[in-house]
Amino acid sequence: MTTATETQPVESAAVASDEAVDIHAPQFHGLLAEYAEVDDLMAAARKIRDAGFTRWECFTPCPIHGLDKAMGVQHTKLPFVSLAGGITGCALGLLLVFWTNAISPETLPIIGDTPYAVRGYDFFISGKPFFSLPANIPPIFELTILFSAFGAFFGMIAMNMLPRFHNPVFNSRRFAKASDDRFFIAVEAEDPVFDREKTAALLSETGAASVEELED
Amino acid sequence: MATLPSDIAARPVIDNTVEDVVERPPAVLGGFGFADVTERISRVNENRPPIIWWFLLAFSATWMAILGGLIGYLFLTGVGVWGNNIPAAWGFPIVNFVFWIGIGHAGTLISAILCLFRQKWRTSINRFAEAMTIFAVICALVWPGIHIGRPWLPFWMAPYPNQMGMWPQFRSPLLWDVFAVSTYFTVSLLFWYMGMLPDLASLRDRARLRGACIASVAYGVLSLGWTGANRHWHRYERAYLILAALATPLVLSVHSVVSFDFATSQLPGWHTTIFPPYFVAGAVFGGFAMVMLLAIPAREIFGLKEVITVRHMENMAKITLATGSIVGLAYSTEAFIAWYSHNPYEGFTFMNRAFGPYAWSYWLMFSCNVFIPQTLWVKKWRCNMKWLFVVSAVVTVGMWFERFVIIITSLTRDFVPSSWGMYVPTWVDICMLMGSFGLFFTLFLLFLRFLPMVNMAEVKTCMPQAHAHHNASHGAGHGFVDQHEGEQDEEAQA
């Protein structure tokens, strides 16, 4: 593996301070380091974690086991979102089947006050009891699964803040390989520990194949 | 862009069907690295499709158009154009519905159940098995939609507030079906799409590098701006596991509910408690046959033999053999219970199936589903792609006839001989069945062309390069099992 490091300064990244700030001019966003092997990425991630950085991220073509620990990433709360979805689905299912098929003005007087279009009634079918859970399980079960799945999928999308079509990392041409066979670490300039020269030097020390500046 | 590094061709070919007690066989052959995997799979979407693809697409699209035309004819004329009549009011449309729903089950089994069992070999085949599920469920949904008598009112199946003051009857198996199948379709679609996000991002990045404008925008929008950030992967993997855990009971419930359509009725031959497991096993069996039917030509035409290896095919053949044997056991149990129950109607139904006017379809079903798949016990035969293709085609035919036998023989001869009759399909029935295959293959061919047909990111996860401290000697260990090598190393260091 090559450790030859090249730093590519980006022209116009620095904004003249005495002029009025042009919001359309590229802003310095952070540093992007490229790695060829998982081992290098892991070692680099541990170093950056230990250096106390918080606003940084690893980019890999596939999930890498052990990287969460190397980065110090907390366990996601996503399962609880899915659980909340499941409970909602189950409650909705119970309400749906019993409200529409099992109640009557005698058992539940308030239904007389509900609008006609949403009013349920006791649906008498071949002598079956109205509040028979077994005969009503399939719709309740399916709704539970459906809403849990919504929780897992849309929860994942929302917590990852997707869709996000503008992302400073996309400004790097090298970054296109992040979905192919290369590994990247991006450190944001917003990070309190960030220092343009020192962080670049740190990334170079970690055995990065290249370090470049990202603009936004 | 289209050519492979020349050294790939020179790498040694390994026979990964040989059982080795020391080392697991690699899941990907040819000494592939990450870039080779991306290249091999993405080039199917990027290069011009082979001539045979156009030929197959034209053929399937023609049949799809015939299906569309016949649905128009059906709507304008009425259900009299079908062979459905009393006593066999459920003819081809319901046979086709149950058949297509069953096909879909293998996709979910591969993507969800094998995922929970940590069967890493599934990664090469799960994407198009899932695609097959989606398209099979679309084909299935056509039938109840046009079979309801008044096909302009299918939304009456949904529980929505309405001025008629009417609600669906939630204790009816037919309504359970509506909920089960629509949930199944939605969850399968989410699962499929979520699994595809990273690969769509790969295609987006490659399109950007070669300057393909339309492709980069289209894949860019579809991939939702996926970057492969580790925190995203972390939640993605969690979501994937949750969806797998949800899809597993879901897939078992779907065909169980479909079997309730029959099992909760009073008709001899339908009123049996064995139906739910028997239907689920049959669905997985038929579905795996369809996966192999699609995979064998696809890996040949698109040059994916290193990614979808002979061992993958062999594993699927083994599952087909196992589920085929379960189906055989179910048929035998039905016959045994017909005798053991001393119920004259059950006994008659069985004798009528085996020796009555539709005996040809019963024995066709039995040979296709039970006898012929038994040849897969022989390793040489199940590793022979030509024979495997023939067996898959035979099983697909057999599973269609299974539903035909269940529905038609029971309906045409029930309790009272005065209400017996015969069922004969019309040309419209047969052409619509062909048309549904046209719809299925058209969707599938478009999928092969425009979406990544193998889950690149997951295949990479199973490769030694994705694990810290890999070396050539234990690299092969990451093939067909999950070892979490990287995590252990990390713990050892901490």
Side-chain angles (χ1 to χ4, degrees), chain B residues 44-124:
Chain B
V44 174
N45 305 108
E46 289 161 359
N47 292 1
R48 285 174 170 279
I51 299 294
I52 188 159
W53 182 87
W54 286 107
F55 175 76
L56 291 170
L57 184 72
F59 186 72
S60 342
T62 308
W63 276 106
M64 185 178 75
I66 291 173
L67 174 68
L70 287 175
I71 289 176
Y73 175 54
L74 171 82
F75 283 8
L76 293 174
T77 317
V79 287
V81 301
W82 284 336
N84 302 16
N85 211 331
I86 302 301
W90 279 6
F92 265 35
I94 301 301
V95 174
N96 298 341
F97 166 72
V98 181
F99 170 76
W100 280 116
I101 279 286
I103 293 293
H105 282 53
T108 320
L109 185 100
I110 290 171
S111 55
I113 300 181
L114 295 187
C115 173
L116 295 182
F117 286 158
R118 300 224 180 264
Q119 295 292 309
K120 286 280 168 174
W121 59 275
R122 61 181 268 288
T123 55
S124 296

Side-chain angles (χ1 to χ4, degrees), chain A residues 110-156:
Chain A
I110 65 159
I111 65 157
D113 304 329
T114 52
Y116 184 65
V118 295
R119 194 181 302 168
Y121 46 88
D122 42 359
F123 206 150
F124 195 68
I125 295 293
S126 50
K128 292 173 191 163
F130 296 121
F131 286 96
S132 59
L133 193 59
N136 285 299
I137 278 180
I140 300 167
F141 172 79
E142 303 297 345
L143 286 174
T144 310
I145 295 281
L146 183 68
F147 279 74
S148 311
F150 282 158
F153 178 79
F154 293 108
M156 186 276 285

Side-chain angles (χ1 to χ4, degrees), chain B residues 12-231:
Chain B
V13 177
I14 309 164
D15 178 10
N16 68 341
T17 63
V18 179
E19 297 296 340
D20 187 333
V21 291
V22 180
E23 269 191 17
R24 294 280 175 175
V28 178
L29 296 178
F32 273 22
F34 279 8
D36 301 325
V37 169
T38 322
E39 176 64 42
R40 263 296 157 102
I41 293 155
S42 308
R43 70 176 181 170
V44 174
N45 305 108
E46 289 161 359
N47 292 1
R48 285 174 170 279
I51 299 294
I52 188 159
W53 182 87
W54 286 107
F55 175 76
L56 291 170
L57 184 72
F59 186 72
S60 342
T62 308
W63 276 106
M64 185 178 75
I66 291 173
L67 174 68
L70 287 175
I71 289 176
Y73 175 54
L74 171 82
F75 283 8
L76 293 174
T77 317
V79 287
V81 301
W82 284 336
N84 302 16
N85 211 331
I86 302 301
W90 279 6
F92 265 35
I94 301 301
V95 174
N96 298 341
F97 166 72
V98 181
F99 170 76
W100 280 116
I101 279 286
I103 293 293
H105 282 53
T108 320
L109 185 100
I110 290 171
S111 55
I113 300 181
L114 295 187
C115 173
L116 295 182
F117 286 158
R118 300 224 180 264
Q119 295 292 309
K120 286 280 168 174
W121 59 275
R122 61 181 268 288
T123 55
S124 296
I125 49 168
N126 72 341
R127 171 68 45 72
F128 73 77
E130 286 167 27
M132 182 201 76
T133 295
I134 307 280
F135 305 143
V137 177
I138 291 173
C139 287
L141 285 171
V142 167
W143 300 102
I146 60 176
H147 186 258
I148 52 176
R150 280 180 283 176
W152 53 94
L153 295 172
F155 55 92
W156 279 13
M157 290 189 271
Y160 69 103
N162 58 74
Q163 291 309 314
M164 300 175 291
M166 299 286 281
W167 291 105
Q169 206 268 93
F170 283 102
R171 282 160 291 175
S172 159
L174 295 176
L175 194 77
W176 301 348
D177 237 12
V178 174
F179 275 75
V181 175
S182 55
T183 301
Y184 183 48
F185 181 72
T186 314
V187 174
S188 301
L189 192 66
L190 290 181
F191 205 10
W192 183 57
Y193 178 60
M194 198 187 83
M196 211 150 45
L197 283 177
D199 289 354
L200 290 169
S202 291
L203 289 179
R204 170 200 66 198
D205 292 342
R206 288 172 63 91
R208 210 153 51 103
L209 284 180
R210 75 197 148 95
C213 222
I214 299 171
S216 101
V217 171
Y219 290 128
V221 170
L222 284 175
S223 61
L224 303 179
W226 181 265
T227 53
N230 187 54
R231 287 179 179 85

